[in-house]
Amino acid sequence: MRKIALITGATSGIGEATSHLFAENGINIIIAGRREERLSVLKNKLENKNVQVLALCFDVCDEAQVKNALSNLPDEWKNIDILVNNAGLAAGLNTIQEGDISDWNRMIDTNIKGLLYVTRHISPGMTKRKRGHIVNIGSIAGKEVYANGNVYCATKHAVDALTKGMRIDLLPHNVRVTQICPGAVETEFSIVRFRGDKSRADKVYEGYENLIAADIADCVWFAVSRPEHVNINDMLVMPTAQATGTLFNKTTS
Ligand code: NDP
Ligand code: 8X3
């Protein structure tokens, strides 16, 4: 029987690339995000790869929406084998003393509380069935802290801690828990961070070869396709030209 995966943040970047790779490997997928039109286009593309797709439009920050979407799944979609907690964002890049409190709330609500809400609704099915795999998308920002990254880094450090906590709590239930921590991946991430300022976003990726979303999708697929007795705990995946959150080997400045 085909496995079922739920991928949050499937409308763009890493989540979208992971959805394609899962479909190519015969996984039926629940794709989730807030942008309905994108979900519908992606659903069609994935169905052309001969898998079943369910599109769920909800905001991970809104616990009522998460509950409504995930507690009313059709029977054939209830037994989720793989949860990829990918939805996330950075908002702004500011010192703590100049930080925008609404940016802080968005990052905390999405990257921490959203991940928790989705996990809380999906993990009981996994513990009941005594199988499942949760993959959290962390970041280099969850391993170190860089200037002006304060709250985003804190949210990704929280993902790091939650991944470890989940692994301990789910241990008796045979549920695997993995964290994938990317360095710089060119997606819509920086466009969102800089509120649609595309030229500022483009500069983040200038002068070196950044990762692309498919590189991270490969890592997610590697983790979930290991034999059942193997758990990939944590993968920190950087561009060859990036050593730390902020140190790059750039050919141009
Ligand atoms: P994108 O901006 O391209 O994609 C982010 C995805 O998250 C979108 O599909 C978006 O969908 C979804 N999302 C954001 N907020 C919400 C919300 N409130 N409810 C539901 N879905 C939401 O960025 P990436 O693909 O790069 O980001 C994916 C993950 O990877 C994030 O957790 C990010 O922190 C992490 N990451 C990214 C790195 C990078 O350099 N790009 C490096 C390290 C980690 P929609 O807008 O339709 O809701
Ligand atoms: C996204 C990468 O370097 O902006 O998590 O923190 S970074």
Side-chain angles (χ1 to χ4, degrees):
M1 207 159 91
R2 289 190 171 204
K3 285 193 171 175
I4 298 174
L6 165 60
I7 301 177
T8 66
T11 54
S12 169
I14 294 168
E16 184 177 5
T18 303
S19 303
H20 280 286
L21 191 52
F22 276 28
E24 284 150 24
N25 284 283
I27 308 281
N28 291 334
I29 312 168
I30 303 173
I31 50 171
R34 290 165 302 177
R35 286 171 287 181
E36 201 155 17
E37 173 61 25
R38 286 213 190 184
L39 285 171
S40 130
V41 171
L42 179 62
K43 182 179 190 304
N44 285 336
K45 285 187 186 163
L46 297 174
E47 282 171 345
N48 284 337
K49 296 184 177 181
N50 293 321
V51 292
Q52 313 243 307
V53 181
L54 177 69
L56 293 181
C57 188
F58 65 90
D59 183 339
V60 295
C61 303
D62 184 332
E63 207 262 324
Q65 284 188 34
V66 174
K67 185 177 178 189
N68 182 52
L70 299 180
S71 56
N72 293 312
L73 289 172
D75 280 349
E76 63 275 26
W77 289 100
K78 279 192 197 311
N79 295 343
I80 293 169
D81 299 289
I82 303 161
L83 165 62
V84 183
N85 276 319
N86 164 75
L89 79 159
L93 192 63
N94 275 311
T95 58
I96 205 79
Q97 63 275 22
E98 291 169 334
D100 179 328
I101 291 176
S102 66
D103 282 348
W104 296 354
N105 286 334
R106 264 180 85 200
M107 291 188 276
I108 292 166
D109 288 351
T110 312
N111 301 353
I112 305 178
K113 292 165 77 177
L115 178 144
L116 282 170
Y117 296 155
V118 174
T119 303
R120 181 64 184 83
H121 283 281
I122 300 303
S123 55
M126 292 180 168
T127 60
K128 197 169 150 212
R129 294 186 295 278
K130 294 278 179 253
R131 71 188 158 81
H133 197 158
I134 298 175
V135 180
N136 294 329
I137 305 300
S139 172
I140 178 67
K143 303 292 183 184
E144 55 180 78
V145 179
Y146 53 82
N148 303 324
N150 40 62
V151 175
Y152 178 68
C153 294
T155 65
K156 289 299 183 178
H157 276 70
V159 173
D160 192 64
L162 287 169
T163 302
K164 291 171 186 156
M166 287 181 196
R167 195 175 300 117
I168 294 165
D169 295 346
L170 296 170
L171 177 69
H173 305 287
N174 195 40
V175 174
R176 299 191 280 180
V177 183
T178 295
Q179 177 177 233
I180 313 276
C181 296
V185 191
E186 188 168 5
T187 61
E188 293 178 7
F189 176 85
S190 294
I191 299 172
V192 171
R193 171 171 251 174
F194 299 128
R195 295 184 172 78
D197 184 341
K198 176 92 168 52
S199 64
R200 189 170 174 201
D202 286 347
K203 285 198 179 64
V204 174
Y205 309 106
E206 272 172 14
Y208 69 102
E209 188 170 355
N210 53 260
L211 297 174
I212 59 169
D215 296 321
I216 303 307
D218 277 343
C219 299
V220 178
W221 178 249
F222 178 81
V224 303
S225 59
R226 292 312 85 209
E228 293 289 330
H229 69 286
V230 178
N231 189 72
I232 304 295
N233 281 12
D234 204 357
M235 287 172 78
L236 177 57
V237 188
M238 307 287 279
T240 304
Q242 182 181 11
T244 72
T246 51
L247 188 62
F248 291 84
N249 180 22
K250 292 200 177 187
T251 53
T252 55
S253 56

